[in-house]
Amino acid sequence: MERPRRLRKNPAIRRLVREVTLEPRNLVQPLFVHLGKNPEPIASMPGQYRHSLESLVETAGQAREAGVGGVILFGVLPQEEKDELGHGAYDDEGVVQKATRAIKLHYPDLLVIADTCLCEYTSHGHCGVLIGDEVANDPTLELLGKTAVSQARAGADVVAPSAMMDGQVRAIRQALDQAGFSSTPILSYAVKYASAFYGPFRDAADSAPAFGDRSSYQMDPAAGVWDALREAALDDAEGADMLMVKPALAYLDLVRLLKERFAKPIAAYLVSGEYSMIKAAAERGWLDERRVVLEALTGIRRAGAQFILTYHALEAARWLTEG
Ligand code: PBG
């Protein structure tokens, strides 16, 4: 009789046959930063903060100590400093630029990824500039290119375009190359859905669109596999160095698909809503947080992700090393 249980009989045999690994270096910690004096806790994301520059550097140091693969930075601006064209995104004295320099000053070997988008800096909260009520694709490309260059100039190791404008990877690649940053890699949010799971992030970054939603540029969850393949193939051809799927848990089929189709590292983003669901259930004693998080991360690795952006990165890295 076939008895799969033979290979589960005791820890020694399970350890021998276990194939999926999860290490701190597979985890990237997203961090929010503002120019206020103090860190502000984010209500909908227990354990996460809008960091001050000081608390950001401290947390980045802890992440480095825990062995994470890197951090990804998101800037938070007060409403009165935002404008129609999202100038804060490509300002060399902008919040992400300052934050990048501060981290690099203290921890030059910690990998810093900059999220390249306008939505945290536009008064209307959309990821591109508006012409009337439309998010205009081509005029946005130049601004995304400027943003990436400014981030690279500040010391970002990787730029990660998340605006979902057509042609953004090519535009950013050209802008980086022209500015002398031909060795700065692009982590493309290639397969990014219009997802309700981003709810807590928009609260954290104060970046909810003032009107409408992002369905005219982010992907339709029901569109089908063709749309994911098309987006990934375009970003691959435009010169993305790494391809990301976002969110993670409802889209693991696409993580696997990209892993099989593209000879590039695949990333997945376990987004804010996925984090908050687990935190909320754990706070009520309904779930064992540590086990659930490690199980979810293991599943994403098994699906084919080389690394995972997760708000649990620092905690999970500690769990993994402390055993
Ligand atoms: C910026 C951006 C968003 C997220 C990452 N980059 C927000 C959005 O697209 O609305 C979401 C991350 C998360 O929910 O954790 N465009």
Side-chain angles (χ1 to χ4, degrees), residues 48-65:
Q48 303 301 310
Y49 296 84
R50 291 186 202 95
H51 283 287
S52 63
L53 286 177
E54 197 182 329
S55 72
L56 177 83
V57 170
E58 190 186 326
T59 306
Q62 292 166 357
R64 178 182 170 279
E65 192 64 29

mmCIF file with all atom_site columns, all heavy atoms in Angstrom, residues 48-65:
data_model
loop_
_atom_site.group_PDB
_atom_site.id
_atom_site.type_symbol
_atom_site.label_atom_id
_atom_site.label_alt_id
_atom_site.label_comp_id
_atom_site.label_asym_id
_atom_site.label_entity_id
_atom_site.label_seq_id
_atom_site.pdbx_PDB_ins_code
_atom_site.Cartn_x
_atom_site.Cartn_y
_atom_site.Cartn_z
_atom_site.occupancy
_atom_site.B_iso_or_equiv
_atom_site.pdbx_formal_charge
_atom_site.auth_seq_id
_atom_site.auth_comp_id
_atom_site.auth_asym_id
_atom_site.auth_atom_id
_atom_site.pdbx_PDB_model_num
ATOM 1   N N   . GLN A 1 48 ? 3.146  48.632 13.110 1.00 0.00 ? 48 GLN A N   1
ATOM 2   C CA  . GLN A 1 48 ? 3.789  49.426 12.048 1.00 0.00 ? 48 GLN A CA  1
ATOM 3   C C   . GLN A 1 48 ? 3.631  50.913 12.368 1.00 0.00 ? 48 GLN A C   1
ATOM 4   O O   . GLN A 1 48 ? 2.653  51.316 12.995 1.00 0.00 ? 48 GLN A O   1
ATOM 5   C CB  . GLN A 1 48 ? 3.168  49.114 10.679 1.00 0.00 ? 48 GLN A CB  1
ATOM 6   C CG  . GLN A 1 48 ? 3.238  47.641 10.303 1.00 0.00 ? 48 GLN A CG  1
ATOM 7   C CD  . GLN A 1 48 ? 4.659  47.107 10.252 1.00 0.00 ? 48 GLN A CD  1
ATOM 8   O OE1 . GLN A 1 48 ? 5.539  47.694 9.627  1.00 0.00 ? 48 GLN A OE1 1
ATOM 9   N NE2 . GLN A 1 48 ? 4.906  45.998 10.943 1.00 0.00 ? 48 GLN A NE2 1
ATOM 10  N N   . TYR A 1 49 ? 4.592  51.707 11.915 1.00 0.00 ? 49 TYR A N   1
ATOM 11  C CA  . TYR A 1 49 ? 4.644  53.129 12.238 1.00 0.00 ? 49 TYR A CA  1
ATOM 12  C C   . TYR A 1 49 ? 4.883  53.970 11.009 1.00 0.00 ? 49 TYR A C   1
ATOM 13  O O   . TYR A 1 49 ? 5.484  53.518 10.047 1.00 0.00 ? 49 TYR A O   1
ATOM 14  C CB  . TYR A 1 49 ? 5.807  53.400 13.213 1.00 0.00 ? 49 TYR A CB  1
ATOM 15  C CG  . TYR A 1 49 ? 5.595  52.714 14.541 1.00 0.00 ? 49 TYR A CG  1
ATOM 16  C CD1 . TYR A 1 49 ? 5.951  51.376 14.705 1.00 0.00 ? 49 TYR A CD1 1
ATOM 17  C CD2 . TYR A 1 49 ? 5.002  53.401 15.599 1.00 0.00 ? 49 TYR A CD2 1
ATOM 18  C CE1 . TYR A 1 49 ? 5.722  50.726 15.908 1.00 0.00 ? 49 TYR A CE1 1
ATOM 19  C CE2 . TYR A 1 49 ? 4.773  52.749 16.811 1.00 0.00 ? 49 TYR A CE2 1
ATOM 20  C CZ  . TYR A 1 49 ? 5.129  51.419 16.954 1.00 0.00 ? 49 TYR A CZ  1
ATOM 21  O OH  . TYR A 1 49 ? 4.887  50.781 18.133 1.00 0.00 ? 49 TYR A OH  1
ATOM 22  N N   . ARG A 1 50 ? 4.429  55.221 11.088 1.00 0.00 ? 50 ARG A N   1
ATOM 23  C CA  . ARG A 1 50 ? 4.980  56.239 10.201 1.00 0.00 ? 50 ARG A CA  1
ATOM 24  C C   . ARG A 1 50 ? 6.214  56.722 10.935 1.00 0.00 ? 50 ARG A C   1
ATOM 25  O O   . ARG A 1 50 ? 6.120  57.443 11.922 1.00 0.00 ? 50 ARG A O   1
ATOM 26  C CB  . ARG A 1 50 ? 3.999  57.404 10.029 1.00 0.00 ? 50 ARG A CB  1
ATOM 27  C CG  . ARG A 1 50 ? 2.778  57.033 9.245  1.00 0.00 ? 50 ARG A CG  1
ATOM 28  C CD  . ARG A 1 50 ? 1.913  58.274 8.970  1.00 0.00 ? 50 ARG A CD  1
ATOM 29  N NE  . ARG A 1 50 ? 0.574  57.804 8.699  1.00 0.00 ? 50 ARG A NE  1
ATOM 30  C CZ  . ARG A 1 50 ? -0.402 57.719 9.612  1.00 0.00 ? 50 ARG A CZ  1
ATOM 31  N NH1 . ARG A 1 50 ? -0.208 58.144 10.842 1.00 0.00 ? 50 ARG A NH1 1
ATOM 32  N NH2 . ARG A 1 50 ? -1.578 57.224 9.289  1.00 0.00 ? 50 ARG A NH2 1
ATOM 33  N N   . HIS A 1 51 ? 7.352  56.274 10.458 1.00 0.00 ? 51 HIS A N   1
ATOM 34  C CA  . HIS A 1 51 ? 8.586  56.528 11.190 1.00 0.00 ? 51 HIS A CA  1
ATOM 35  C C   . HIS A 1 51 ? 9.059  57.963 11.025 1.00 0.00 ? 51 HIS A C   1
ATOM 36  O O   . HIS A 1 51 ? 8.867  58.580 9.976  1.00 0.00 ? 51 HIS A O   1
ATOM 37  C CB  . HIS A 1 51 ? 9.690  55.591 10.692 1.00 0.00 ? 51 HIS A CB  1
ATOM 38  C CG  . HIS A 1 51 ? 9.546  54.195 11.218 1.00 0.00 ? 51 HIS A CG  1
ATOM 39  N ND1 . HIS A 1 51 ? 9.820  53.862 12.519 1.00 0.00 ? 51 HIS A ND1 1
ATOM 40  C CD2 . HIS A 1 51 ? 9.134  53.042 10.619 1.00 0.00 ? 51 HIS A CD2 1
ATOM 41  C CE1 . HIS A 1 51 ? 9.598  52.569 12.702 1.00 0.00 ? 51 HIS A CE1 1
ATOM 42  N NE2 . HIS A 1 51 ? 9.160  52.046 11.567 1.00 0.00 ? 51 HIS A NE2 1
ATOM 43  N N   . SER A 1 52 ? 9.720  58.459 12.059 1.00 0.00 ? 52 SER A N   1
ATOM 44  C CA  . SER A 1 52 ? 10.550 59.659 11.920 1.00 0.00 ? 52 SER A CA  1
ATOM 45  C C   . SER A 1 52 ? 11.869 59.179 11.329 1.00 0.00 ? 52 SER A C   1
ATOM 46  O O   . SER A 1 52 ? 12.138 57.966 11.309 1.00 0.00 ? 52 SER A O   1
ATOM 47  C CB  . SER A 1 52 ? 10.793 60.291 13.291 1.00 0.00 ? 52 SER A CB  1
ATOM 48  O OG  . SER A 1 52 ? 11.526 59.373 14.092 1.00 0.00 ? 52 SER A OG  1
ATOM 49  N N   . LEU A 1 53 ? 12.707 60.092 10.878 1.00 0.00 ? 53 LEU A N   1
ATOM 50  C CA  . LEU A 1 53 ? 13.991 59.658 10.320 1.00 0.00 ? 53 LEU A CA  1
ATOM 51  C C   . LEU A 1 53 ? 14.785 58.864 11.360 1.00 0.00 ? 53 LEU A C   1
ATOM 52  O O   . LEU A 1 53 ? 15.418 57.853 11.046 1.00 0.00 ? 53 LEU A O   1
ATOM 53  C CB  . LEU A 1 53 ? 14.804 60.866 9.832  1.00 0.00 ? 53 LEU A CB  1
ATOM 54  C CG  . LEU A 1 53 ? 14.309 61.504 8.528  1.00 0.00 ? 53 LEU A CG  1
ATOM 55  C CD1 . LEU A 1 53 ? 15.145 62.725 8.180  1.00 0.00 ? 53 LEU A CD1 1
ATOM 56  C CD2 . LEU A 1 53 ? 14.323 60.492 7.376  1.00 0.00 ? 53 LEU A CD2 1
ATOM 57  N N   . GLU A 1 54 ? 14.680 59.317 12.610 1.00 0.00 ? 54 GLU A N   1
ATOM 58  C CA  . GLU A 1 54 ? 15.435 58.656 13.671 1.00 0.00 ? 54 GLU A CA  1
ATOM 59  C C   . GLU A 1 54 ? 14.935 57.226 13.933 1.00 0.00 ? 54 GLU A C   1
ATOM 60  O O   . GLU A 1 54 ? 15.723 56.284 13.985 1.00 0.00 ? 54 GLU A O   1
ATOM 61  C CB  . GLU A 1 54 ? 15.322 59.510 14.939 1.00 0.00 ? 54 GLU A CB  1
ATOM 62  C CG  . GLU A 1 54 ? 16.345 59.182 15.985 1.00 0.00 ? 54 GLU A CG  1
ATOM 63  C CD  . GLU A 1 54 ? 16.127 60.036 17.246 1.00 0.00 ? 54 GLU A CD  1
ATOM 64  O OE1 . GLU A 1 54 ? 15.651 61.188 17.128 1.00 0.00 ? 54 GLU A OE1 1
ATOM 65  O OE2 . GLU A 1 54 ? 16.416 59.521 18.344 1.00 0.00 ? 54 GLU A OE2 1
ATOM 66  N N   . SER A 1 55 ? 13.621 57.084 14.075 1.00 0.00 ? 55 SER A N   1
ATOM 67  C CA  . SER A 1 55 ? 13.108 55.733 14.358 1.00 0.00 ? 55 SER A CA  1
ATOM 68  C C   . SER A 1 55 ? 13.219 54.832 13.124 1.00 0.00 ? 55 SER A C   1
ATOM 69  O O   . SER A 1 55 ? 13.337 53.610 13.229 1.00 0.00 ? 55 SER A O   1
ATOM 70  C CB  . SER A 1 55 ? 11.663 55.777 14.880 1.00 0.00 ? 55 SER A CB  1
ATOM 71  O OG  . SER A 1 55 ? 10.746 56.109 13.870 1.00 0.00 ? 55 SER A OG  1
ATOM 72  N N   . LEU A 1 56 ? 13.242 55.445 11.947 1.00 0.00 ? 56 LEU A N   1
ATOM 73  C CA  . LEU A 1 56 ? 13.435 54.668 10.718 1.00 0.00 ? 56 LEU A CA  1
ATOM 74  C C   . LEU A 1 56 ? 14.820 54.021 10.718 1.00 0.00 ? 56 LEU A C   1
ATOM 75  O O   . LEU A 1 56 ? 14.963 52.822 10.443 1.00 0.00 ? 56 LEU A O   1
ATOM 76  C CB  . LEU A 1 56 ? 13.298 55.574 9.491  1.00 0.00 ? 56 LEU A CB  1
ATOM 77  C CG  . LEU A 1 56 ? 13.564 54.848 8.169  1.00 0.00 ? 56 LEU A CG  1
ATOM 78  C CD1 . LEU A 1 56 ? 12.314 54.107 7.711  1.00 0.00 ? 56 LEU A CD1 1
ATOM 79  C CD2 . LEU A 1 56 ? 14.038 55.799 7.092  1.00 0.00 ? 56 LEU A CD2 1
ATOM 80  N N   . VAL A 1 57 ? 15.821 54.827 11.019 1.00 0.00 ? 57 VAL A N   1
ATOM 81  C CA  . VAL A 1 57 ? 17.194 54.323 11.017 1.00 0.00 ? 57 VAL A CA  1
ATOM 82  C C   . VAL A 1 57 ? 17.343 53.224 12.071 1.00 0.00 ? 57 VAL A C   1
ATOM 83  O O   . VAL A 1 57 ? 17.969 52.182 11.831 1.00 0.00 ? 57 VAL A O   1
ATOM 84  C CB  . VAL A 1 57 ? 18.205 55.475 11.248 1.00 0.00 ? 57 VAL A CB  1
ATOM 85  C CG1 . VAL A 1 57 ? 19.607 54.937 11.494 1.00 0.00 ? 57 VAL A CG1 1
ATOM 86  C CG2 . VAL A 1 57 ? 18.204 56.421 10.044 1.00 0.00 ? 57 VAL A CG2 1
ATOM 87  N N   . GLU A 1 58 ? 16.709 53.447 13.215 1.00 0.00 ? 58 GLU A N   1
ATOM 88  C CA  . GLU A 1 58 ? 16.780 52.443 14.280 1.00 0.00 ? 58 GLU A CA  1
ATOM 89  C C   . GLU A 1 58 ? 16.138 51.123 13.828 1.00 0.00 ? 58 GLU A C   1
ATOM 90  O O   . GLU A 1 58 ? 16.719 50.042 14.001 1.00 0.00 ? 58 GLU A O   1
ATOM 91  C CB  . GLU A 1 58 ? 16.051 52.997 15.512 1.00 0.00 ? 58 GLU A CB  1
ATOM 92  C CG  . GLU A 1 58 ? 16.244 52.182 16.763 1.00 0.00 ? 58 GLU A CG  1
ATOM 93  C CD  . GLU A 1 58 ? 15.362 52.713 17.899 1.00 0.00 ? 58 GLU A CD  1
ATOM 94  O OE1 . GLU A 1 58 ? 15.140 53.941 17.967 1.00 0.00 ? 58 GLU A OE1 1
ATOM 95  O OE2 . GLU A 1 58 ? 14.890 51.872 18.694 1.00 0.00 ? 58 GLU A OE2 1
ATOM 96  N N   . THR A 1 59 ? 14.953 51.220 13.228 1.00 0.00 ? 59 THR A N   1
ATOM 97  C CA  . THR A 1 59 ? 14.267 50.006 12.763 1.00 0.00 ? 59 THR A CA  1
ATOM 98  C C   . THR A 1 59 ? 15.024 49.339 11.622 1.00 0.00 ? 59 THR A C   1
ATOM 99  O O   . THR A 1 59 ? 15.118 48.111 11.552 1.00 0.00 ? 59 THR A O   1
ATOM 100 C CB  . THR A 1 59 ? 12.830 50.352 12.325 1.00 0.00 ? 59 THR A CB  1
ATOM 101 O OG1 . THR A 1 59 ? 12.197 51.032 13.411 1.00 0.00 ? 59 THR A OG1 1
ATOM 102 C CG2 . THR A 1 59 ? 12.035 49.114 11.983 1.00 0.00 ? 59 THR A CG2 1
ATOM 103 N N   . ALA A 1 60 ? 15.599 50.149 10.743 1.00 0.00 ? 60 ALA A N   1
ATOM 104 C CA  . ALA A 1 60 ? 16.392 49.588 9.649  1.00 0.00 ? 60 ALA A CA  1
ATOM 105 C C   . ALA A 1 60 ? 17.578 48.811 10.225 1.00 0.00 ? 60 ALA A C   1
ATOM 106 O O   . ALA A 1 60 ? 17.933 47.735 9.723  1.00 0.00 ? 60 ALA A O   1
ATOM 107 C CB  . ALA A 1 60 ? 16.865 50.704 8.723  1.00 0.00 ? 60 ALA A CB  1
ATOM 108 N N   . GLY A 1 61 ? 18.161 49.340 11.279 1.00 0.00 ? 61 GLY A N   1
ATOM 109 C CA  . GLY A 1 61 ? 19.275 48.652 11.934 1.00 0.00 ? 61 GLY A CA  1
ATOM 110 C C   . GLY A 1 61 ? 18.842 47.310 12.511 1.00 0.00 ? 61 GLY A C   1
ATOM 111 O O   . GLY A 1 61 ? 19.563 46.308 12.413 1.00 0.00 ? 61 GLY A O   1
ATOM 112 N N   . GLN A 1 62 ? 17.642 47.298 13.091 1.00 0.00 ? 62 GLN A N   1
ATOM 113 C CA  . GLN A 1 62 ? 17.123 46.036 13.635 1.00 0.00 ? 62 GLN A CA  1
ATOM 114 C C   . GLN A 1 62 ? 16.853 45.037 12.515 1.00 0.00 ? 62 GLN A C   1
ATOM 115 O O   . GLN A 1 62 ? 17.113 43.837 12.656 1.00 0.00 ? 62 GLN A O   1
ATOM 116 C CB  . GLN A 1 62 ? 15.832 46.294 14.430 1.00 0.00 ? 62 GLN A CB  1
ATOM 117 C CG  . GLN A 1 62 ? 16.050 47.071 15.711 1.00 0.00 ? 62 GLN A CG  1
ATOM 118 C CD  . GLN A 1 62 ? 14.751 47.603 16.297 1.00 0.00 ? 62 GLN A CD  1
ATOM 119 O OE1 . GLN A 1 62 ? 13.677 47.441 15.712 1.00 0.00 ? 62 GLN A OE1 1
ATOM 120 N NE2 . GLN A 1 62 ? 14.835 48.250 17.448 1.00 0.00 ? 62 GLN A NE2 1
ATOM 121 N N   . ALA A 1 63 ? 16.339 45.533 11.406 1.00 0.00 ? 63 ALA A N   1
ATOM 122 C CA  . ALA A 1 63 ? 16.048 44.648 10.267 1.00 0.00 ? 63 ALA A CA  1
ATOM 123 C C   . ALA A 1 63 ? 17.346 44.050 9.732  1.00 0.00 ? 63 ALA A C   1
ATOM 124 O O   . ALA A 1 63 ? 17.428 42.860 9.412  1.00 0.00 ? 63 ALA A O   1
ATOM 125 C CB  . ALA A 1 63 ? 15.317 45.422 9.173  1.00 0.00 ? 63 ALA A CB  1
ATOM 126 N N   . ARG A 1 64 ? 18.351 44.876 9.656  1.00 0.00 ? 64 ARG A N   1
ATOM 127 C CA  . ARG A 1 64 ? 19.669 44.421 9.193  1.00 0.00 ? 64 ARG A CA  1
ATOM 128 C C   . ARG A 1 64 ? 20.211 43.358 10.147 1.00 0.00 ? 64 ARG A C   1
ATOM 129 O O   . ARG A 1 64 ? 20.698 42.300 9.722  1.00 0.00 ? 64 ARG A O   1
ATOM 130 C CB  . ARG A 1 64 ? 20.614 45.612 9.118  1.00 0.00 ? 64 ARG A CB  1
ATOM 131 C CG  . ARG A 1 64 ? 22.026 45.256 8.706  1.00 0.00 ? 64 ARG A CG  1
ATOM 132 C CD  . ARG A 1 64 ? 22.912 46.500 8.705  1.00 0.00 ? 64 ARG A CD  1
ATOM 133 N NE  . ARG A 1 64 ? 24.314 46.126 8.533  1.00 0.00 ? 64 ARG A NE  1
ATOM 134 C CZ  . ARG A 1 64 ? 25.083 45.685 9.526  1.00 0.00 ? 64 ARG A CZ  1
ATOM 135 N NH1 . ARG A 1 64 ? 24.591 45.565 10.764 1.00 0.00 ? 64 ARG A NH1 1
ATOM 136 N NH2 . ARG A 1 64 ? 26.331 45.360 9.286  1.00 0.00 ? 64 ARG A NH2 1
ATOM 137 N N   . GLU A 1 65 ? 20.113 43.663 11.426 1.00 0.00 ? 65 GLU A N   1
ATOM 138 C CA  . GLU A 1 65 ? 20.577 42.737 12.463 1.00 0.00 ? 65 GLU A CA  1
ATOM 139 C C   . GLU A 1 65 ? 19.870 41.382 12.349 1.00 0.00 ? 65 GLU A C   1
ATOM 140 O O   . GLU A 1 65 ? 20.472 40.329 12.528 1.00 0.00 ? 65 GLU A O   1
ATOM 141 C CB  . GLU A 1 65 ? 20.274 43.384 13.826 1.00 0.00 ? 65 GLU A CB  1
ATOM 142 C CG  . GLU A 1 65 ? 20.923 42.736 15.013 1.00 0.00 ? 65 GLU A CG  1
ATOM 143 C CD  . GLU A 1 65 ? 22.454 42.817 14.958 1.00 0.00 ? 65 GLU A CD  1
ATOM 144 O OE1 . GLU A 1 65 ? 22.994 43.783 14.367 1.00 0.00 ? 65 GLU A OE1 1
ATOM 145 O OE2 . GLU A 1 65 ? 23.076 41.887 15.472 1.00 0.00 ? 65 GLU A OE2 1
#
